[in-house]
Amino acid sequence: MVSLDDVKKAYREIGDTIQKTPILTSSLLNERCGMQVCLKAEHLQKTGSFKIRGATNAVKQAVAGGARFITAASSGNHGQAVAYIASQLGIPAMIVVPEDANRVKVEAIKAYQAEVEYCGLTSAERIPRAKQLAEDNHGAYIPPYDHPAVIAGQGTIAIEILKQVPDVDVIVVPVGGGGLIGGILCAAKALKPEVRVIGVEPETANDTFLSLQKGEITAISGTTTIADGLRTSQPGDLTFPILREHLDELVLVSEVEIKEAFQFLLERTKQLIEPSGATALAAVMAGKAGMADEKAAVILSGGNVDLYQIPHFLTS
Ligand SMILES: *Cc1c(COP(=O)(O)O)cnc(C)c1O
Protein backbone atom coordinates (compact mmCIF):
# COMPACT_ATOMS: atom_id res chain seq x y z
CA MET A 1 0.00 0.00 0.00
CA VAL A 2 0.98 3.62 -0.48
CA SER A 3 0.99 5.82 2.63
CA LEU A 4 0.59 9.57 3.02
CA ASP A 5 4.29 9.64 3.92
CA ASP A 6 5.13 7.99 0.58
CA VAL A 7 3.14 10.71 -1.21
CA LYS A 8 4.80 13.50 0.81
CA LYS A 9 8.21 12.02 0.03
CA ALA A 10 7.28 11.83 -3.65
CA TYR A 11 6.28 15.50 -3.55
CA ARG A 12 9.75 16.44 -2.28
CA GLU A 13 11.38 14.26 -4.97
CA ILE A 14 9.43 15.72 -7.89
CA GLY A 15 9.11 19.32 -6.67
CA ASP A 16 11.90 20.65 -8.91
CA THR A 17 10.52 18.95 -12.02
CA ILE A 18 6.78 19.49 -12.01
CA GLN A 19 4.58 22.57 -12.22
CA LYS A 20 2.24 23.42 -9.38
CA THR A 21 -0.73 23.64 -11.68
CA PRO A 22 -3.42 26.29 -11.13
CA ILE A 23 -7.10 25.92 -10.26
CA LEU A 24 -9.33 27.37 -12.99
CA THR A 25 -12.91 28.48 -12.40
CA SER A 26 -15.81 29.59 -14.59
CA SER A 27 -18.96 31.24 -13.28
CA LEU A 28 -20.82 29.90 -16.30
CA LEU A 29 -19.74 26.37 -15.35
CA ASN A 30 -20.76 26.88 -11.70
CA GLU A 31 -24.17 28.09 -12.82
CA ARG A 32 -24.61 25.21 -15.22
CA CYS A 33 -23.62 22.57 -12.64
CA GLY A 34 -25.31 24.20 -9.63
CA MET A 35 -22.13 23.83 -7.63
CA GLN A 36 -18.69 25.38 -7.29
CA VAL A 37 -16.38 23.67 -9.74
CA CYS A 38 -12.61 24.02 -9.30
CA LEU A 39 -10.74 22.68 -12.32
CA LYS A 40 -7.30 21.28 -11.49
CA ALA A 41 -5.35 22.18 -14.63
CA GLU A 42 -3.02 19.23 -15.19
CA HIS A 43 -3.16 19.87 -18.94
CA LEU A 44 -0.82 22.78 -18.11
CA GLN A 45 1.56 20.30 -16.45
CA LYS A 46 5.00 19.56 -17.94
CA THR A 47 4.53 17.20 -20.91
CA GLY A 48 0.81 18.06 -20.97
CA SER A 49 -0.50 15.58 -18.40
CA PHE A 50 -0.24 14.55 -14.74
CA LYS A 51 1.73 11.44 -15.81
CA ILE A 52 5.00 13.34 -15.27
CA ARG A 53 4.37 13.22 -11.49
CA GLY A 54 4.42 9.44 -11.18
CA ALA A 55 7.02 8.99 -13.92
CA THR A 56 9.44 11.40 -12.25
CA ASN A 57 9.10 9.74 -8.86
CA ALA A 58 9.54 6.24 -10.32
CA VAL A 59 12.43 7.11 -12.66
CA LYS A 60 14.33 8.98 -9.93
CA GLN A 61 13.87 6.02 -7.60
CA ALA A 62 15.12 3.61 -10.28
CA VAL A 63 18.15 5.77 -11.03
CA ALA A 64 18.97 6.06 -7.32
CA GLY A 65 18.84 2.26 -7.26
CA GLY A 66 21.44 2.06 -10.04
CA ALA A 67 19.39 1.95 -13.24
CA ARG A 68 21.26 3.40 -16.22
CA PHE A 69 18.58 2.90 -18.87
CA ILE A 70 14.82 3.46 -18.74
CA THR A 71 12.06 1.80 -20.73
CA ALA A 72 8.30 2.16 -20.95
CA ALA A 73 5.61 0.65 -23.18
CA SER A 74 3.25 3.51 -24.02
CA SER A 75 2.70 5.71 -27.04
CA GLY A 76 0.63 8.06 -24.93
CA ASN A 77 1.13 10.44 -22.03
CA HIS A 78 3.11 7.97 -19.92
CA GLY A 79 5.59 7.42 -22.74
CA GLN A 80 6.07 11.17 -23.14
CA ALA A 81 6.49 11.67 -19.41
CA VAL A 82 9.09 8.92 -19.04
CA ALA A 83 10.98 10.21 -22.09
CA TYR A 84 11.02 13.74 -20.67
CA ILE A 85 12.26 12.91 -17.18
CA ALA A 86 14.88 10.44 -18.41
CA SER A 87 16.33 13.08 -20.71
CA GLN A 88 16.27 15.67 -17.89
CA LEU A 89 18.30 13.25 -15.77
CA GLY A 90 20.64 12.44 -18.64
CA ILE A 91 19.62 8.77 -18.77
CA PRO A 92 18.93 7.10 -22.14
CA ALA A 93 15.36 5.89 -22.61
CA MET A 94 13.62 3.56 -25.04
CA ILE A 95 9.85 3.80 -25.44
CA VAL A 96 8.14 0.79 -27.02
CA VAL A 97 5.05 1.81 -29.01
CA PRO A 98 2.52 -0.13 -31.13
CA GLU A 99 3.11 -0.43 -34.86
CA ASP A 100 0.02 1.71 -35.50
CA ALA A 101 1.00 4.44 -33.02
CA ASN A 102 -0.21 7.94 -33.75
CA ARG A 103 2.52 9.88 -35.60
CA VAL A 104 1.98 13.04 -33.51
CA LYS A 105 2.53 11.12 -30.28
CA VAL A 106 5.65 9.39 -31.57
CA GLU A 107 7.07 12.76 -32.64
CA ALA A 108 6.42 14.10 -29.13
CA ILE A 109 8.32 11.19 -27.57
CA LYS A 110 11.25 11.71 -29.97
CA ALA A 111 11.24 15.44 -29.22
CA TYR A 112 11.98 14.49 -25.60
CA GLN A 113 15.15 12.71 -26.82
CA ALA A 114 13.98 9.13 -26.24
CA GLU A 115 14.39 6.35 -28.77
CA VAL A 116 11.25 4.72 -30.10
CA GLU A 117 10.87 1.06 -30.94
CA TYR A 118 7.77 -0.25 -32.72
CA CYS A 119 6.46 -3.60 -31.47
CA GLY A 120 3.21 -5.44 -32.17
CA LEU A 121 -0.26 -4.01 -31.71
CA THR A 122 -1.14 -4.91 -28.13
CA SER A 123 0.29 -4.14 -24.69
CA ALA A 124 0.68 -7.92 -24.21
CA GLU A 125 3.39 -7.73 -26.88
CA ARG A 126 4.89 -4.36 -25.89
CA ILE A 127 5.30 -4.82 -22.14
CA PRO A 128 7.51 -7.99 -22.28
CA ARG A 129 9.64 -6.29 -24.95
CA ALA A 130 10.12 -3.17 -22.79
CA LYS A 131 10.96 -5.33 -19.77
CA GLN A 132 13.45 -7.34 -21.81
CA LEU A 133 15.15 -4.19 -23.11
CA ALA A 134 15.48 -2.93 -19.53
CA GLU A 135 16.96 -6.22 -18.36
CA ASP A 136 19.46 -6.35 -21.25
CA ASN A 137 20.71 -2.82 -20.53
CA HIS A 138 20.99 -2.62 -16.72
CA GLY A 139 17.83 -0.57 -16.82
CA ALA A 140 14.40 -0.26 -15.28
CA TYR A 141 10.97 -0.72 -16.85
CA ILE A 142 8.50 1.90 -15.62
CA PRO A 143 4.83 0.80 -15.70
CA PRO A 144 2.08 3.41 -16.25
CA TYR A 145 0.06 2.85 -13.08
CA ASP A 146 0.69 -0.40 -11.20
CA HIS A 147 3.81 0.66 -9.30
CA PRO A 148 4.04 2.14 -5.77
CA ALA A 149 6.28 5.06 -6.83
CA VAL A 150 3.95 5.92 -9.73
CA ILE A 151 0.88 5.83 -7.47
CA ALA A 152 2.63 7.97 -4.84
CA GLY A 153 3.68 10.48 -7.51
CA GLN A 154 0.15 10.84 -8.85
CA GLY A 155 -1.11 11.29 -5.27
CA THR A 156 0.81 14.57 -5.03
CA ILE A 157 -2.09 16.20 -6.90
CA ALA A 158 -4.21 15.69 -3.78
CA ILE A 159 -1.68 17.55 -1.61
CA GLU A 160 -1.88 20.52 -3.99
CA ILE A 161 -5.68 20.45 -4.21
CA LEU A 162 -6.13 20.43 -0.44
CA LYS A 163 -3.82 23.46 -0.18
CA GLN A 164 -5.49 25.33 -3.04
CA VAL A 165 -9.10 24.42 -2.12
CA PRO A 166 -9.04 23.59 1.61
CA ASP A 167 -12.85 23.48 1.87
CA VAL A 168 -13.27 21.01 -1.01
CA ASP A 169 -16.18 18.55 -0.52
CA VAL A 170 -15.56 16.14 -3.37
CA ILE A 171 -12.71 15.31 -5.78
CA VAL A 172 -13.74 13.93 -9.19
CA VAL A 173 -11.14 11.88 -11.07
CA PRO A 174 -10.94 10.00 -14.39
CA VAL A 175 -10.07 6.31 -14.05
CA GLY A 176 -7.92 4.27 -16.43
CA GLY A 177 -5.64 1.77 -14.67
CA GLY A 178 -6.30 3.58 -11.41
CA GLY A 179 -2.87 5.06 -10.63
CA LEU A 180 -4.17 8.61 -10.54
CA ILE A 181 -7.21 7.96 -8.38
CA GLY A 182 -5.30 5.43 -6.24
CA GLY A 183 -2.68 8.03 -5.35
CA ILE A 184 -5.32 10.69 -4.72
CA LEU A 185 -7.22 8.30 -2.41
CA CYS A 186 -4.08 7.44 -0.41
CA ALA A 187 -3.29 11.11 0.20
CA ALA A 188 -6.71 12.75 0.41
CA LYS A 189 -8.31 10.20 2.75
CA ALA A 190 -5.34 10.56 5.13
CA LEU A 191 -5.23 14.39 5.01
CA LYS A 192 -9.00 15.01 5.09
CA PRO A 193 -11.02 11.85 5.74
CA GLU A 194 -14.39 13.54 5.11
CA VAL A 195 -13.53 14.47 1.53
CA ARG A 196 -15.38 12.24 -0.97
CA VAL A 197 -13.57 10.89 -4.02
CA ILE A 198 -15.58 9.91 -7.09
CA GLY A 199 -14.07 8.02 -10.03
CA VAL A 200 -15.34 8.35 -13.59
CA GLU A 201 -15.06 5.86 -16.46
CA PRO A 202 -16.49 5.88 -19.97
CA GLU A 203 -19.48 3.52 -20.30
CA THR A 204 -17.57 1.47 -22.86
CA ALA A 205 -14.38 1.22 -20.75
CA ASN A 206 -16.06 0.18 -17.50
CA ASP A 207 -13.50 -2.38 -16.28
CA THR A 208 -13.08 -0.77 -12.86
CA PHE A 209 -16.85 -0.35 -12.46
CA LEU A 210 -17.37 -4.06 -13.18
CA SER A 211 -14.44 -5.07 -10.97
CA LEU A 212 -15.83 -3.12 -8.00
CA GLN A 213 -19.28 -4.60 -8.59
CA LYS A 214 -17.89 -8.16 -8.67
CA GLY A 215 -15.38 -7.60 -5.89
CA GLU A 216 -12.49 -8.88 -8.02
CA ILE A 217 -10.36 -7.69 -10.90
CA THR A 218 -12.42 -8.14 -14.05
CA ALA A 219 -11.12 -7.57 -17.58
CA ILE A 220 -13.05 -6.20 -20.54
CA SER A 221 -12.10 -6.65 -24.17
CA GLY A 222 -11.27 -3.85 -26.59
CA THR A 223 -13.00 -0.51 -26.30
CA THR A 224 -13.05 2.37 -28.74
CA THR A 225 -13.93 5.25 -26.40
CA ILE A 226 -12.61 8.63 -27.57
CA ALA A 227 -11.00 8.85 -24.12
CA ASP A 228 -7.93 6.92 -25.28
CA GLY A 229 -6.08 7.34 -21.97
CA LEU A 230 -8.84 5.37 -20.22
CA ARG A 231 -8.83 2.33 -22.54
CA THR A 232 -7.13 -0.01 -20.04
CA SER A 233 -8.67 -3.46 -19.99
CA GLN A 234 -8.53 -3.95 -16.21
CA PRO A 235 -7.53 -2.19 -12.97
CA GLY A 236 -4.08 -2.95 -11.55
CA ASP A 237 -3.13 -5.49 -8.87
CA LEU A 238 -1.88 -2.63 -6.67
CA THR A 239 -4.46 0.01 -7.56
CA PHE A 240 -7.62 -2.11 -7.29
CA PRO A 241 -7.31 -2.88 -3.54
CA ILE A 242 -6.87 0.86 -2.84
CA LEU A 243 -10.04 1.63 -4.77
CA ARG A 244 -11.96 -1.17 -3.06
CA GLU A 245 -11.01 0.13 0.35
CA HIS A 246 -11.35 3.90 -0.10
CA LEU A 247 -13.36 4.87 -3.19
CA ASP A 248 -16.73 6.50 -2.44
CA GLU A 249 -18.35 6.02 -5.83
CA LEU A 250 -17.60 5.17 -9.44
CA VAL A 251 -19.83 6.63 -12.14
CA LEU A 252 -20.02 6.09 -15.90
CA VAL A 253 -20.36 8.68 -18.65
CA SER A 254 -21.39 8.29 -22.29
CA GLU A 255 -19.31 9.31 -25.28
CA VAL A 256 -21.73 12.21 -25.90
CA GLU A 257 -21.28 13.44 -22.32
CA ILE A 258 -17.48 13.40 -22.78
CA LYS A 259 -17.86 15.37 -26.01
CA GLU A 260 -20.12 17.93 -24.30
CA ALA A 261 -17.45 18.51 -21.65
CA PHE A 262 -14.67 18.69 -24.28
CA GLN A 263 -16.63 21.24 -26.28
CA PHE A 264 -17.62 23.32 -23.24
CA LEU A 265 -14.00 23.48 -22.07
CA LEU A 266 -12.74 24.57 -25.47
CA GLU A 267 -15.54 26.94 -26.40
CA ARG A 268 -16.30 28.55 -23.05
CA THR A 269 -13.12 28.33 -20.99
CA LYS A 270 -10.66 28.29 -23.94
CA GLN A 271 -8.91 25.22 -22.56
CA LEU A 272 -7.89 22.43 -24.93
CA ILE A 273 -8.36 19.22 -22.92
CA GLU A 274 -7.99 15.72 -24.34
CA PRO A 275 -11.15 13.55 -24.07
CA SER A 276 -9.67 11.48 -21.19
CA GLY A 277 -9.00 14.73 -19.39
CA ALA A 278 -12.56 15.97 -19.90
CA THR A 279 -14.19 12.79 -18.56
CA ALA A 280 -14.35 13.83 -14.89
CA LEU A 281 -15.99 17.14 -15.81
CA ALA A 282 -18.41 15.23 -18.04
CA ALA A 283 -19.75 13.45 -14.95
CA VAL A 284 -20.20 16.71 -13.06
CA MET A 285 -21.91 18.43 -16.01
CA ALA A 286 -24.24 15.43 -16.41
CA GLY A 287 -25.27 15.69 -12.74
CA LYS A 288 -23.68 12.31 -11.93
CA ALA A 289 -21.00 13.53 -9.49
CA GLY A 290 -21.32 16.00 -6.63
CA MET A 291 -24.38 17.51 -4.98
CA ALA A 292 -25.99 20.97 -5.16
CA ASP A 293 -23.93 23.77 -3.59
CA GLU A 294 -20.94 21.54 -2.98
CA LYS A 295 -17.39 22.53 -3.85
CA ALA A 296 -15.88 20.05 -6.28
CA ALA A 297 -12.28 19.72 -7.44
CA VAL A 298 -12.35 18.19 -10.90
CA ILE A 299 -9.16 16.84 -12.45
CA LEU A 300 -8.45 17.97 -16.01
CA SER A 301 -5.85 15.24 -16.37
CA GLY A 302 -4.26 16.11 -19.71
CA GLY A 303 -4.33 18.18 -22.86
CA ASN A 304 -2.46 16.23 -25.51
CA VAL A 305 -4.67 16.25 -28.57
CA ASP A 306 -3.94 15.47 -32.20
CA LEU A 307 -5.46 18.66 -33.62
CA TYR A 308 -6.79 16.86 -36.69
CA GLN A 309 -8.93 14.66 -34.39
CA ILE A 310 -10.82 17.60 -32.89
CA PRO A 311 -13.83 17.35 -35.24
CA HIS A 312 -14.48 13.82 -33.87
CA PHE A 313 -14.62 15.20 -30.32
CA LEU A 314 -17.40 17.72 -30.98
CA THR A 315 -21.11 17.03 -30.41
CA SER A 316 -23.05 17.10 -33.63
C1 LIG B 1 -3.27 8.02 -17.91
C2 LIG B 1 -4.34 9.04 -17.97
C3 LIG B 1 -5.53 8.91 -17.22
C4 LIG B 1 -5.83 7.70 -16.34
O1 LIG B 1 -4.88 7.52 -15.32
P1 LIG B 1 -4.75 6.08 -14.61
O2 LIG B 1 -3.66 6.27 -13.63
O3 LIG B 1 -4.40 5.09 -15.68
O4 LIG B 1 -6.08 5.79 -14.00
C5 LIG B 1 -6.46 9.93 -17.30
N1 LIG B 1 -6.27 11.01 -18.09
C6 LIG B 1 -5.16 11.16 -18.83
C7 LIG B 1 -5.02 12.38 -19.67
C8 LIG B 1 -4.15 10.19 -18.80
O5 LIG B 1 -3.05 10.35 -19.55
Side-chain angles (χ1 to χ4, degrees), residues 29 32-33 39 200 226 253-286 298-300 313-315:
L29 185 60
R32 191 172 153 158
C33 299
L39 301 169
V200 186
I226 58 169
V253 291
S254 69
E255 297 294 292
V256 169
E257 285 165 346
I258 296 171
K259 289 178 182 177
E260 280 168 358
F262 172 87
Q263 189 159 336
F264 180 93
L265 285 162
L266 187 54
E267 200 167 36
R268 302 293 176 190
T269 72
K270 318 304 169 192
Q271 305 300 310
L272 178 59
I273 308 298
E274 60 187 283
S276 303
T279 296
L281 183 63
V284 176
M285 287 177 64
V298 179
I299 314 284
L300 303 181
F313 303 155
L314 303 175
T315 58

Side-chain angles (χ1 to χ4, degrees), residues 49-51 77 144-145 174-181 229-230 274 276-277 301-302:
S49 87
F50 72 90
K51 288 281 199 317
N77 291 334
Y145 52 85
V175 178
L180 173 60
I181 197 164
L230 310 181
E274 60 187 283
S276 303
S301 51

Side-chain angles (χ1 to χ4, degrees), residues 61-77:
Q61 191 182 80
V63 171
R68 291 292 168 265
F69 186 73
I70 298 294
T71 71
S74 154
S75 61
N77 291 334

Side-chain angles (χ1 to χ4, degrees), residues 28-49:
L28 185 64
L29 185 60
N30 292 346
E31 228 168 85
R32 191 172 153 158
C33 299
M35 48 194 290
Q36 286 186 65
V37 181
C38 301
L39 301 169
K40 178 63 171 163
E42 284 291 300
H43 63 302
L44 305 176
Q45 186 53 266
K46 289 265 172 68
T47 72
S49 87

Side-chain angles (χ1 to χ4, degrees), residues 1-315:
M1 273 289 178
V2 174
S3 68
L4 175 60
D5 267 356
D6 295 329
V7 180
K8 285 183 172 167
K9 191 163 162 278
Y11 204 38
R12 290 193 294 273
E13 282 295 324
I14 71 176
D16 294 342
T17 302
I18 64 151
Q19 306 276 8
K20 290 187 178 58
T21 53
I23 298 283
L24 309 178
T25 58
S26 150
S27 46
L28 185 64
L29 185 60
N30 292 346
E31 228 168 85
R32 191 172 153 158
C33 299
M35 48 194 290
Q36 286 186 65
V37 181
C38 301
L39 301 169
K40 178 63 171 163
E42 284 291 300
H43 63 302
L44 305 176
Q45 186 53 266
K46 289 265 172 68
T47 72
S49 87
F50 72 90
K51 288 281 199 317
I52 192 64
R53 294 175 184 263
T56 298
N57 195 38
V59 170
K60 281 195 164 179
Q61 191 182 80
V63 171
R68 291 292 168 265
F69 186 73
I70 298 294
T71 71
S74 154
S75 61
N77 291 334
H78 177 64
Q80 290 187 35
V82 169
Y84 174 85
I85 186 60
S87 102
Q88 288 291 305
L89 298 173
I91 306 283
M94 174 82 82
I95 311 297
V96 182
V97 307
E99 271 151 22
D100 62 350
N102 180 301
R103 187 187 51 79
V104 176
K105 293 183 172 181
V106 172
E107 289 309 317
I109 291 168
K110 287 184 176 163
Y112 293 131
Q113 320 292 330
E115 282 196 66
V116 169
E117 181 176 300
Y118 291 88
C119 174
L121 290 170
T122 66
S123 56
E125 295 163 278
R126 278 194 305 285
I127 292 170
R129 178 66 188 147
K131 285 181 175 168
Q132 187 65 48
L133 282 164
E135 209 180 300
D136 293 347
N137 294 282
H138 308 287
Y141 162 75
I142 310 292
Y145 52 85
D146 219 23
H147 185 299
V150 172
I151 297 169
Q154 320 304 29
T156 60
I157 295 180
I159 293 179
E160 280 175 26
I161 289 174
L162 291 173
K163 268 189 207 142
Q164 292 168 307
V165 193
D167 54 346
V168 63
D169 297 302
V170 56
I171 304 177
V172 189
V173 189
V175 178
L180 173 60
I181 197 164
I184 287 175
L185 284 166
C186 291
K189 293 286 181 178
L191 286 165
K192 187 178 176 181
E194 68 273 26
V195 76
R196 294 188 343 275
V197 178
I198 299 179
V200 186
E201 280 187 316
E203 282 170 359
T204 59
N206 60 347
D207 51 294
T208 298
F209 181 85
L210 293 176
S211 299
L212 288 167
Q213 214 173 41
K214 276 197 158 181
E216 63 185 23
I217 293 177
T218 304
I220 58 167
S221 54
T223 161
T224 54
T225 175
I226 58 169
D228 57 357
L230 310 181
R231 282 182 195 158
T232 41
S233 59
Q234 60 181 72
D237 294 331
L238 296 180
T239 56
F240 183 62
I242 301 173
L243 272 66
R244 266 196 92 175
E245 185 176 343
H246 294 296
L247 187 64
D248 291 281
E249 205 182 333
L250 194 125
V251 301
L252 301 175
V253 291
S254 69
E255 297 294 292
V256 169
E257 285 165 346
I258 296 171
K259 289 178 182 177
E260 280 168 358
F262 172 87
Q263 189 159 336
F264 180 93
L265 285 162
L266 187 54
E267 200 167 36
R268 302 293 176 190
T269 72
K270 318 304 169 192
Q271 305 300 310
L272 178 59
I273 308 298
E274 60 187 283
S276 303
T279 296
L281 183 63
V284 176
M285 287 177 64
K288 294 176 175 177
M291 293 181 276
D293 300 324
E294 278 193 325
K295 193 174 250 194
V298 179
I299 314 284
L300 303 181
S301 51
N304 291 323
V305 173
D306 177 350
L307 296 182
Y308 294 97
Q309 292 292 319
I310 288 178
H312 302 296
F313 303 155
L314 303 175
T315 58

